[in-house]
Amino acid sequence: MKNTLKINHIDRTITMDRTFAKNAENTRSEEYAHLQSVRRDYPTYTVVRRQIKKNPNKESWKGLTYEYMENYISTHEEGEARIAVLKEFAEKRLISECHSECHRYPTIKKWFLEKYPEIAEFGMTAPAAENSKVVDLPQQTAEDAA
């Protein structure tokens, strides 16, 4: 049994993580027996499942893959600049291979977003919409088109 219970005497709670709770559902498991033993020792304590605190302001970059970055560079750079940036991108990916996996993607993502800030700004509604200059064009009628 790797997952254990934590007893908080101040809040009078018995805290378990998600894996322990899942294993304790089986009445024949070690976790179930351990939970019942602790509940007998502390009958007035409340059993709670630990929740991970989530940052609501965290920016998520779902879809910003290496393949997407490469395609974006290919379609938004011209001629010699495209070749140079793709070489730089390939070099960064090669260099990142010697680092642990948790440092590879964030480093390349940071470089990409610094090089193409429009990706980070895409979908910004309130501040960006106030600063943009939108001009209403006159409606073209069928007579004007002919």
Side-chain angles (χ1 to χ4, degrees):
M1 177 171 52
K2 294 181 180 180
N3 300 309
T4 60
L5 295 173
K6 294 191 181 195
I7 300 171
N8 185 335
H9 295 289
I10 296 170
D11 295 335
R12 302 177 61 81
T13 59
I14 301 167
T15 307
M16 60 182 155
D17 64 8
R18 182 179 67 177
T19 306
F20 188 94
K22 182 71 176 164
N23 292 338
E25 289 176 0
N26 179 358
T27 58
R28 295 181 182 211
S29 68
E30 291 179 43
E31 287 82 0
Y32 179 83
H34 184 59
L35 176 61
Q36 296 309 318
S37 171
V38 172
R39 289 182 67 203
R40 276 191 296 276
D41 292 344
Y42 301 98
T44 60
Y45 283 32
T46 306
V47 178
V48 295
R49 198 173 109 194
R50 182 176 67 91
Q51 297 291 326
I52 296 174
K53 296 175 187 160
K54 296 181 181 177
N55 182 359
N57 299 325
K58 180 185 174 208
E59 289 191 22
S60 177
W61 298 100
K62 183 178 181 182
L64 187 61
T65 62
Y66 291 140
E67 183 180 356
Y68 175 85
M69 291 179 203
E70 194 170 340
N71 290 339
Y72 190 86
I73 293 167
S74 295
T75 58
H76 287 81
E77 293 290 342
E78 298 291 327
E80 295 288 323
R82 176 186 303 146
I83 295 168
V85 174
L86 285 172
K87 281 184 181 179
E88 184 179 1
F89 177 70
E91 183 69 22
K92 293 229 178 263
R93 284 196 63 187
L94 181 64
I95 291 170
S96 74
E97 293 298 320
C98 71
H99 296 287
S100 65
E101 288 186 29
C102 65
H103 295 294
R104 293 178 190 174
Y105 176 76
T107 304
I108 294 174
K109 178 184 75 173
K110 181 181 176 191
W111 168 83
F112 182 77
L113 292 174
E114 285 173 357
K115 190 140 189 86
Y116 300 100
E118 64 271 14
I119 297 292
E121 295 168 3
F122 182 77
M124 303 288 271
T125 55
E130 294 171 3
N131 295 333
S132 66
K133 296 179 181 178
V134 177
V135 178
D136 288 330
L137 297 175
Q139 293 287 333
Q140 185 176 15
T141 63
E143 294 172 2
D144 295 336

